[in-house]
Amino acid sequence: MNLIFLGTPAFAVPTLERIAAAGHQVMAVFTQPDRPKGRGQKNAMSPVKEAALRLGLPVYQPERIRKPEAVEELRAMAPEAMVVVGYGQIIPQAILDIPRLGIINVHASLLPKYRGAAPIQWAIARGESRTGVTTMRINAGLDTGDMLLKWETAIGAEETAVELGERLAAAGAELLGETLNRLERITPEPQDDAQASYAPILKKEDGHVDWSRPRHEILNRIRGFTPWPGCYGFLRSARMHVWRAREADVELSPGVMRAEQRRLCAGCGDGSIEFLEVQLEGKKRMDAASFLNGFPIEAGEVLA
């Protein structure tokens, strides 16, 4: 099948590799322009661009895919289908109308649940026990297109967004391969909008912990918001990230900290949690015992 692939993040790379390995003709790979990254703010390629170059595929990086020149490039290629995985731009109707077999998207949730930009993170943060991957035909809405195939899995009790994302990326690649093989035989299933939920793009402030919340909610957010924005409070006016934690059995008021026997705990709305790995602003990530060696916590100190 003659295809065009549109994607940007690491999550999309296994799908691109799967398509190429299956013998489909990838006519072009569209990805976001190189962006400044890291302390040096040097332009860096997206993971999809790196993969495409390694695979010897032509790469296009329009600033805005809806611009007429980009639309005309796509139309001139006349693909049978397009595949989109986390491209990062809204696909306009003019492009939706180009491929005969439509534009297929790999979405990391069991649609119609968790439509939007951060389905993996919010599924964990909101305490879901199961999730999966859905392939669908893109339409003009936000993840509202007809569903094609699904794959479902349990979310591990300690699984982070990074770990779950790696599993779903691999599963999504296989599901997309099966979808393409059966594309003209699958009966599309409309989504039930009444069952829809949303996973909006994460903001830095989403990681600021409200310590009056139940501890299971806080622990879910710590797992779900790894690596970004992370979960944090403010200790002596400095941002303190909590990267790993577990339930604790000490009695503390919300946000109040206690350090004893090389353990560091903080109170929540209905109990307490023990910090296992933390990072104070400007410092490296470290286990709680190492942190306490260089940063003693005073009795009754509060993490705001």
Side-chain angles (χ1 to χ4, degrees), residues 7-294:
T8 299
F11 181 85
V13 170
T15 300
L16 176 59
E17 292 173 336
R18 176 69 172 78
I19 291 171
H24 294 288
Q25 178 64 40
V26 183
M27 306 167 71
V29 173
F30 280 68
T31 189
Q32 295 278 46
D34 296 356
R35 305 291 190 198
K37 187 177 181 180
R39 290 190 176 183
Q41 289 295 287
K42 294 182 179 179
N43 277 355
M45 296 184 289
S46 73
V48 162
K49 181 179 179 179
E50 291 179 348
L53 294 177
R54 171 167 46 82
L55 294 168
L57 301 173
V59 175
Y60 295 78
Q61 296 178 273
E63 191 68 38
R64 291 287 179 269
I65 200 164
R66 62 173 55 251
K67 286 190 174 182
E69 54 268 31
V71 175
E72 286 309 311
E73 276 184 321
L74 287 164
R75 186 175 288 122
M77 293 178 194
E80 294 175 85
M82 296 185 191
V83 173
V84 176
V85 186
Y87 177 54
Q89 295 186 33
I90 295 173
I91 309 298
Q93 190 64 48
I95 293 176
L96 294 178
D97 293 337
I98 291 173
R100 176 178 64 85
L101 297 175
I103 301 181
I104 314 305
N105 175 238
V106 178
H107 187 77
S109 80
L110 298 173
L111 290 170
K113 296 185 74 172
Y114 295 103
R115 296 171 177 173
I120 297 171
Q121 293 89 337
W122 283 112
I124 295 176
R126 292 175 182 163
E128 298 287 351
S129 61
R130 300 192 69 79
T131 188
V133 180
T134 306
T135 53
M136 68 170 185
R137 275 204 174 95
I138 286 182
N139 63 13
L142 176 63
D143 299 327
T144 56
D146 289 350
M147 300 176 293
L148 300 170
L149 296 178
K150 288 186 178 182
W151 177 85
E152 186 172 348
T153 186
I155 299 175
E158 304 297 326
E159 199 165 24
T160 67
V162 172
E163 294 162 344
L164 180 58
E166 290 174 352
R167 289 206 298 121
L168 295 186
E174 293 304 310
L175 193 69
L176 190 277
E178 183 182 353
T179 300
L180 291 178
N181 289 340
R182 297 168 49 194
L183 188 55
E184 297 190 74
R185 303 190 303 276
I186 297 172
T187 301
E189 178 187 353
Q191 294 188 44
D192 180 358
D193 291 342
Q195 301 298 316
S197 59
Y198 292 89
I201 190 168
L202 288 166
K203 306 181 295 295
K204 184 70 175 179
E205 53 266 32
D206 289 323
H208 190 185
V209 176
D210 176 356
W211 298 101
S212 68
R213 287 179 176 268
R215 66 181 173 183
H216 75 273
E217 290 188 16
I218 294 173
L219 289 171
N220 288 339
R221 282 178 171 245
I222 291 170
R223 294 189 298 118
F225 294 165
T226 297
W228 197 90
C231 277
Y232 59 88
F234 289 92
L235 179 62
R236 303 177 198 171
S237 300
R239 192 186 306 268
M240 178 177 171
H241 275 90
V242 181
W243 294 112
R244 292 193 302 118
R246 64 187 175 193
E247 291 188 4
D249 56 2
V250 298
E251 293 292 330
L252 294 169
S253 298
V256 174
M257 304 176 73
R258 179 185 296 174
E260 58 184 20
Q261 297 179 342
R262 298 175 63 81
R263 295 175 65 207
L264 179 59
C265 300
C268 308
D270 64 349
S272 61
I273 62 175
E274 178 185 353
F275 298 164
L276 301 178
E277 187 176 7
V278 297
Q279 183 177 13
L280 195 63
E281 191 172 349
K283 305 293 184 180
K284 295 180 179 180
R285 289 172 64 159
M286 62 186 72
D287 62 72
S290 299
F291 171 77
L292 290 172
N293 284 339

